[in-house]
Amino acid sequence: MAAPKWGPVERVATYELVIEKIEEQLVSGALGPGDRLPPERELAALLGASRQAVREALRVLQALGIVRSRQGTGSDAGTVIVPAPAHALSRVLRLHLAVSSFPAADLTGARVLLERASAAAAAERRDPEAIARLRELLTAMDADLGREEFSELDTKLHVAIAGSAGNQLVGELTAAVRESLRGALLDGMRAEPDWPTLRDQLRREHRGVVEAIEAGDAPLAADRLERHIRAFHVRIDG
């Protein structure tokens, strides 16, 4: 691994520019998971930035889940690049989706693209442990559940299908999009006057997707999941 290359930030030493410099080292491969950043005072000198700017940059990166910082003098002290900030990625995506005014059709389309691919890959893998988890969720959804409880399990099932694909990034993206729609989907369930009938329909559709995954039928699993997603969005979007 190449040694990190530090240099003064351009013009004003703001925390955004400090973050850009750290990002450059990560993208170039000079810094990677588990690596330790120089101490705050040293990093400020290397970048020609104020300690306040460096401190603020590190706070932002810690909030994003990119680094973790610990005070003290032991082996765990200092600021270290987090090895696998997958959940942090999902959190950031959820926040961006929450404050962005994407059309409903765009979000539905994104769900379809991601979840079709996930369902197909899950069927091709046919991982026994993953399928067992899907079966557990289906069983839990067979109970006499209200809308809120069912919606919670519904989210877990869709995220679990994405996780069954064996692609962590796709799983995190799917989870972020699905979580951003949680409120709208729950509102759609609440607006349905005949909840037992809708619940039974969703159960059948979920079971059909899982059965196709378990059978190893990738095209069928993808098609069933897409029909399930589009049908429900048509219902709640009017």
Side-chain angles (χ1 to χ4, degrees), residues 175-200:
V177 174
R178 184 61 175 75
E179 287 288 344
S180 73
L181 290 166
R182 180 194 291 265
L185 298 178
L186 179 56
D187 287 344
M189 292 180 185
R190 287 171 175 159
E192 176 57 49
D194 188 358
W195 167 239
T197 297
L198 174 59
R199 183 179 58 195
D200 288 344

Side-chain angles (χ1 to χ4, degrees), residues 11-203:
R11 296 182 292 109
V12 182
T14 63
Y15 77 92
E16 292 97 339
L17 293 174
V18 174
I19 291 175
E20 286 182 8
K21 286 295 183 180
I22 295 173
E23 180 183 358
E24 287 176 7
Q25 307 307 316
L26 291 168
V27 173
S28 70
L31 280 175
D35 288 343
R36 192 180 305 275
L37 293 178
E40 182 183 294
R41 184 189 300 274
E42 181 182 343
L43 185 56
L46 288 168
L47 295 174
S50 68
R51 291 187 65 182
Q52 180 179 355
V54 169
R55 190 176 301 120
E56 184 65 22
L58 295 180
R59 285 174 181 163
V60 171
L61 292 173
Q62 185 167 8
L64 292 174
I66 304 301
V67 303
R68 64 136 177 92
S69 296
R70 292 177 181 169
Q71 301 295 323
T73 58
S75 59
D76 290 336
T79 301
V80 178
I81 307 298
V82 175
H87 294 296
L89 170 63
S90 181
R91 181 169 62 249
V92 170
L93 284 171
R94 288 199 305 271
L95 289 171
H96 277 286
L97 289 171
V99 299
S100 300
S101 300
F102 292 112
D106 287 359
L107 290 174
T108 302
R111 278 197 71 194
V112 168
L113 287 172
L114 288 168
E115 297 197 40
R116 271 191 66 92
S118 295
E124 290 170 354
R125 292 184 74 227
R126 298 178 68 186
D127 180 72
E129 291 185 7
I131 291 174
R133 172 58 178 161
L134 298 179
R135 285 289 181 186
E136 288 177 5
L137 289 168
L138 288 178
T139 299
M141 296 174 85
D142 282 338
D144 185 19
L145 301 175
R147 294 167 174 83
E148 289 77 9
E149 295 170 302
F150 190 91
S151 177
E152 182 72 22
L153 289 172
D154 184 275
T155 295
K156 289 181 179 180
L157 179 67
H158 281 265
V159 172
I161 291 172
S164 302
N167 186 313
Q168 186 178 11
L169 178 57
V170 171
E172 292 297 328
L173 291 171
T174 299
V177 174
R178 184 61 175 75
E179 287 288 344
S180 73
L181 290 166
R182 180 194 291 265
L185 298 178
L186 179 56
D187 287 344
M189 292 180 185
R190 287 171 175 159
E192 176 57 49
D194 188 358
W195 167 239
T197 297
L198 174 59
R199 183 179 58 195
D200 288 344
Q201 177 185 335
L202 295 175
R203 285 170 176 161

